CSV table of all heavy atoms in Angstrom, one decimal:
chain,number,residue,atom,x,y,z
A,5,GLY,N,142.1,87.6,130.1
A,5,GLY,CA,141.4,86.8,129.1
A,5,GLY,C,139.9,86.9,129.1
A,5,GLY,O,139.3,86.5,128.1
A,6,LYS,N,139.4,87.5,130.1
A,6,LYS,CA,137.9,87.7,130.2
A,6,LYS,C,137.5,88.7,129.0
A,6,LYS,O,138.2,89.6,128.8
A,6,LYS,CB,137.5,88.3,131.5
A,6,LYS,CG,135.9,88.5,131.6
A,6,LYS,CD,135.5,89.0,132.9
A,6,LYS,CE,134.0,89.3,133.0
A,6,LYS,NZ,133.2,88.0,132.7
A,7,LYS,N,136.4,88.3,128.4
A,7,LYS,CA,136.0,89.2,127.3
A,7,LYS,C,134.7,89.9,127.6
A,7,LYS,O,133.7,89.3,128.2
A,7,LYS,CB,135.7,88.3,126.0
A,7,LYS,CG,135.6,89.1,124.7
A,7,LYS,CD,135.5,88.2,123.5
A,7,LYS,CE,136.8,87.6,123.2
A,7,LYS,NZ,136.8,86.8,121.9
A,8,LEU,N,134.6,91.2,127.4
A,8,LEU,CA,133.4,92.0,127.7
A,8,LEU,C,132.8,92.4,126.4
A,8,LEU,O,133.5,92.8,125.4
A,8,LEU,CB,133.8,93.2,128.5
A,8,LEU,CG,134.5,93.0,129.8
A,8,LEU,CD1,135.0,94.4,130.4
A,8,LEU,CD2,133.5,92.4,130.8
A,9,GLN,N,131.5,92.3,126.3
A,9,GLN,CA,130.7,92.7,125.1
A,9,GLN,C,131.1,91.9,123.9
A,9,GLN,O,130.9,92.4,122.8
A,9,GLN,CB,130.9,94.2,124.9
A,9,GLN,CG,130.4,95.1,126.0
A,9,GLN,CD,128.9,95.1,126.1
A,9,GLN,OE1,128.2,95.7,125.3
A,9,GLN,NE2,128.4,94.5,127.1
A,10,GLU,N,131.7,90.7,124.2
A,10,GLU,CA,132.2,89.9,123.1
A,10,GLU,C,133.1,90.7,122.1
A,10,GLU,O,133.2,90.4,120.9
A,10,GLU,CB,131.0,89.4,122.2
A,10,GLU,CG,130.1,88.4,123.0
A,10,GLU,CD,130.9,87.2,123.4
A,10,GLU,OE1,131.7,86.6,122.6
A,10,GLU,OE2,130.6,86.7,124.5
A,11,ARG,N,133.8,91.6,122.8
A,11,ARG,CA,134.7,92.5,122.0
A,11,ARG,C,136.0,92.8,122.7
A,11,ARG,O,137.1,92.8,122.0
A,11,ARG,CB,133.9,93.8,121.6
A,11,ARG,CG,134.7,94.8,120.9
A,11,ARG,CD,133.9,96.0,120.6
A,11,ARG,NE,134.6,97.1,120.0
A,11,ARG,CZ,134.1,98.3,119.6
A,11,ARG,NH1,132.8,98.5,119.8
A,11,ARG,NH2,134.9,99.2,119.1
A,12,TYR,N,135.9,93.2,124.0
A,12,TYR,CA,137.1,93.7,124.7
A,12,TYR,C,137.7,92.6,125.5
A,12,TYR,O,137.1,92.1,126.5
A,12,TYR,CB,136.7,94.9,125.6
A,12,TYR,CG,136.0,96.0,124.8
A,12,TYR,CD1,134.7,96.2,125.0
A,12,TYR,CD2,136.7,96.8,123.9
A,12,TYR,CE1,134.0,97.3,124.4
A,12,TYR,CE2,136.1,97.8,123.3
A,12,TYR,CZ,134.7,98.1,123.5
A,12,TYR,OH,134.1,99.1,122.8
A,13,ARG,N,138.9,92.2,125.2
A,13,ARG,CA,139.6,91.1,125.9
A,13,ARG,C,140.6,91.7,127.0
A,13,ARG,O,141.5,92.5,126.6
A,13,ARG,CB,140.4,90.2,125.0
A,13,ARG,CG,141.1,89.0,125.7
A,13,ARG,CD,141.8,88.1,124.7
A,13,ARG,NE,143.1,88.7,124.3
A,13,ARG,CZ,143.3,89.2,123.1
A,13,ARG,NH1,142.4,89.1,122.2
A,13,ARG,NH2,144.5,89.7,122.8
A,14,ILE,N,140.4,91.4,128.2
A,14,ILE,CA,141.2,91.9,129.3
A,14,ILE,C,142.6,91.3,129.3
A,14,ILE,O,142.7,90.1,129.2
A,14,ILE,CB,140.5,91.7,130.7
A,14,ILE,CG1,139.1,92.3,130.8
A,14,ILE,CG2,141.4,92.2,131.8
A,14,ILE,CD1,139.1,93.8,130.6
A,15,GLU,N,143.6,92.2,129.3
A,15,GLU,CA,145.0,91.7,129.3
A,15,GLU,C,145.5,91.8,130.8
A,15,GLU,O,146.1,90.8,131.2
A,15,GLU,CB,145.8,92.6,128.4
A,15,GLU,CG,145.4,92.7,127.0
A,15,GLU,CD,145.4,91.4,126.3
A,15,GLU,OE1,146.1,90.5,126.7
A,15,GLU,OE2,144.8,91.3,125.2
A,16,LYS,N,145.4,92.9,131.5
A,16,LYS,CA,145.9,93.0,132.9
A,16,LYS,C,145.4,94.2,133.5
A,16,LYS,O,144.9,95.2,132.8
A,16,LYS,CB,147.4,93.0,132.9
A,16,LYS,CG,148.1,94.2,132.2
A,16,LYS,CD,149.6,94.1,132.3
A,16,LYS,CE,150.2,95.3,131.5
A,16,LYS,NZ,151.7,95.2,131.6
A,17,GLN,N,145.4,94.3,134.8
A,17,GLN,CA,145.1,95.5,135.6
A,17,GLN,C,146.3,96.4,135.6
A,17,GLN,O,147.4,95.9,135.9
A,17,GLN,CB,144.6,95.1,137.0
A,17,GLN,CG,144.2,96.4,137.8
A,17,GLN,CD,143.6,96.0,139.2
A,17,GLN,OE1,143.5,94.8,139.5
A,17,GLN,NE2,143.3,97.0,140.0
A,18,VAL,N,146.1,97.7,135.3
A,18,VAL,CA,147.2,98.6,135.3
A,18,VAL,C,147.1,99.7,136.3
A,18,VAL,O,148.0,100.5,136.4
A,18,VAL,CB,147.4,99.2,133.9
A,18,VAL,CG1,147.8,98.1,132.9
A,18,VAL,CG2,146.1,99.8,133.4
A,19,GLY,N,146.0,99.8,137.0
A,19,GLY,CA,145.9,100.9,138.0
A,19,GLY,C,144.5,101.0,138.6
A,19,GLY,O,143.6,100.2,138.3
A,20,GLN,N,144.4,101.9,139.6
A,20,GLN,CA,143.1,102.1,140.2
A,20,GLN,C,143.0,103.6,140.5
A,20,GLN,O,143.9,104.3,141.0
A,20,GLN,CB,143.0,101.4,141.6
A,20,GLN,CG,142.8,99.9,141.4
A,20,GLN,CD,142.7,99.1,142.7
A,20,GLN,OE1,143.6,99.3,143.6
A,20,GLN,NE2,141.7,98.3,142.9
A,21,GLY,N,141.8,104.1,140.2
A,21,GLY,CA,141.5,105.5,140.5
A,21,GLY,C,140.5,105.6,141.7
A,21,GLY,O,140.3,104.6,142.4
A,22,GLY,N,140.0,106.8,141.9
A,22,GLY,CA,139.2,107.0,143.1
A,22,GLY,C,137.9,106.2,143.0
A,22,GLY,O,137.3,105.8,144.1
A,23,MET,N,137.4,106.0,141.8
A,23,MET,CA,136.1,105.3,141.7
A,23,MET,C,136.1,104.0,140.9
A,23,MET,O,135.1,103.4,140.6
A,23,MET,CB,135.0,106.2,141.1
A,23,MET,CG,134.7,107.4,142.0
A,23,MET,SD,133.7,108.6,141.2
A,23,MET,CE,132.2,107.7,141.0
A,24,GLY,N,137.3,103.6,140.4
A,24,GLY,CA,137.3,102.5,139.5
A,24,GLY,C,138.7,101.9,139.3
A,24,GLY,O,139.7,102.5,139.6
A,25,SER,N,138.7,100.6,138.9
A,25,SER,CA,140.0,99.9,138.5
A,25,SER,C,140.2,100.1,137.0
A,25,SER,O,139.2,100.2,136.2
A,25,SER,CB,139.9,98.4,138.8
A,25,SER,OG,139.8,98.2,140.2
A,26,ILE,N,141.5,100.2,136.6
A,26,ILE,CA,141.8,100.4,135.2
A,26,ILE,C,142.5,99.2,134.7
A,26,ILE,O,143.4,98.6,135.3
A,26,ILE,CB,142.8,101.6,135.0
A,26,ILE,CG1,142.2,102.8,135.8
A,26,ILE,CG2,142.9,101.9,133.6
A,26,ILE,CD1,140.9,103.4,135.3
A,27,TYR,N,142.0,98.7,133.5
A,27,TYR,CA,142.6,97.5,132.8
A,27,TYR,C,143.1,97.8,131.4
A,27,TYR,O,142.5,98.7,130.7
A,27,TYR,CB,141.5,96.4,132.7
A,27,TYR,CG,141.0,95.9,134.1
A,27,TYR,CD1,140.0,96.5,134.7
A,27,TYR,CD2,141.6,94.8,134.7
A,27,TYR,CE1,139.5,96.1,136.0
A,27,TYR,CE2,141.2,94.3,135.9
A,27,TYR,CZ,140.1,95.0,136.5
A,27,TYR,OH,139.7,94.5,137.8
A,28,LEU,N,144.1,97.2,131.1
A,28,LEU,CA,144.6,97.2,129.7
A,28,LEU,C,143.8,96.1,128.9
A,28,LEU,O,143.7,95.0,129.5
A,28,LEU,CB,146.1,96.9,129.6
A,28,LEU,CG,146.7,96.8,128.2
A,28,LEU,CD1,146.7,98.2,127.6
A,28,LEU,CD2,148.1,96.3,128.3
A,29,ALA,N,143.3,96.4,127.8
A,29,ALA,CA,142.5,95.5,127.0
A,29,ALA,C,142.7,95.6,125.5
A,29,ALA,O,143.2,96.6,125.1
A,29,ALA,CB,141.0,95.7,127.4
Side-chain angles (χ1 to χ4, degrees):
K6 181 177 177 60
K7 192 175 292 186
L8 299 173
Q9 298 290 287
E10 294 298 319
R11 174 179 177 178
Y12 305 110
R13 186 180 73 250
I14 300 299
E15 304 296 344
K16 62 180 180 179
Q17 184 176 354
V18 293
Q20 285 181 314
M23 294 174 64
S25 296
I26 311 297
Y27 295 89
L28 178 68

